[in-house]
Amino acid sequence: TTVRLAPNDTLLYVSCMPDDEQYDDFRLLENELKTLRTADRRRYRLLSLPSPKPIYFDGERLPATYANFLVVNGAVIVPIYDQPDSDSEAMRVIGEAFPDREIVGIDATVIIRQHGSIHCMTMQIY
């Protein structure tokens, strides 16, 4: 499960459905996030991102997540997975976290085969 920072003491975290094999881990993380406080002891604003339905390639479940977004000047680039309902919900939630930026969905169905997505592929290599 992944958590991302956003402006205004906001944390975006990945949720999942009760029938997902990762559900128990998700519930533990969600409960832990509720206990966190900012430096001035305020609760964080928690926004739950949906999880795309599992995506498989060559029999292996790929790590598809909307939390692999990339913040750039004036926009947030969001990976989408050809799943209209969860794609649009993820873009809506990310837009709530970044109201002053354009939210741009980019098809990541091929990129995810490399076990990463938009944010991962922009990281430096050492």
Side-chain angles (χ1 to χ4, degrees):
T1 304
T2 304
V3 180
R4 296 286 307 271
L5 298 170
N8 305 313
D9 296 327
T10 299
L11 299 176
L12 291 149
Y13 66 101
V14 177
S15 66
C16 63
M17 301 301 291
D19 61 345
D20 191 291
E21 64 192 41
Q22 299 174 348
Y23 185 73
D24 290 340
D25 291 336
F26 155 69
R27 293 295 298 158
L28 290 171
L29 174 70
E30 185 176 49
N31 289 334
E32 188 70 23
L33 290 174
K34 291 176 183 178
T35 69
L36 296 178
R37 298 292 180 267
T38 65
D40 58 356
R41 308 294 300 151
R42 290 181 300 141
R43 291 177 186 245
Y44 282 92
R45 181 176 125 193
L46 301 177
L47 297 178
S48 175
L49 288 169
S51 285
K53 293 177 186 158
I55 299 172
Y56 293 89
F57 184 71
D58 286 341
E60 181 179 14
R61 184 173 176 172
L62 301 177
T65 176
Y66 297 109
N68 209 305
F69 58 83
L70 178 66
V71 180
V72 297
N73 293 339
V76 180
I77 301 171
V78 179
I80 57 175
Y81 302 101
D82 196 26
Q83 299 179 17
D85 291 341
S86 57
D87 290 348
S88 61
E89 176 64 7
M91 291 178 61
R92 184 196 67 72
V93 171
I94 292 170
E96 189 177 333
F98 295 92
D100 61 337
R101 295 177 187 266
E102 180 181 3
I103 307 303
V104 179
I106 300 291
D107 183 356
T109 54
V110 173
I111 299 168
I112 199 67
R113 293 179 190 171
Q114 298 298 312
H115 297 276
S117 196
I118 306 297
H119 184 268
C120 291
M121 68 183 255
T122 64
M123 300 304 294
Q124 62 277 20
I125 298 174
Y126 293 99

